[in-house]
Amino acid sequence: TYDMDRIKTVSQLVFDLFSEEEGLAALFGLIRDNLPEALNETLYALSCDVAASDGQLRETELRLLEEIRYEFNIDRLAAAAIERGARARHMTI
């Protein structure tokens, strides 16, 4: 299980980084330093799930997903499959 206090700390760090001019680059650096490269596609899948969870994809979310694909070298074909899976999981009637 994941420590709830750690979730609060990490969440605050992310929000603090997003308020800085170079915060996104710093966040990507932290992720790169702490996540094994073999999990980059998992990172992208989780990002897609979060973006799709409310049933809407806004332009800012699409740009962030594009940046994640670029920064973490997600293959275009793999990215398309991951995106389609997220769409299917969050589709409503």
Side-chain angles (χ1 to χ4, degrees), residues 39-49 52 65 69 74-90:
L39 295 178
N40 284 357
E41 287 182 2
T42 304
L43 163 73
Y44 189 64
L46 290 170
S47 300
C48 287
D49 279 340
L65 289 173
R69 282 193 309 267
I74 307 298
D75 176 77
R76 293 183 67 75
L77 187 58
I82 291 167
E83 292 160 6
R84 183 63 184 101
R87 179 175 173 235
R89 280 189 298 281
H90 297 282

Side-chain angles (χ1 to χ4, degrees), residues 7-23:
I7 289 175
K8 291 175 188 175
T9 302
V10 170
S11 297
Q12 188 59 54
L13 173 64
V14 170
F15 285 121
D16 290 346
L17 286 173
F18 278 159
S19 70
E20 296 179 18
E21 187 172 330
E22 295 296 321

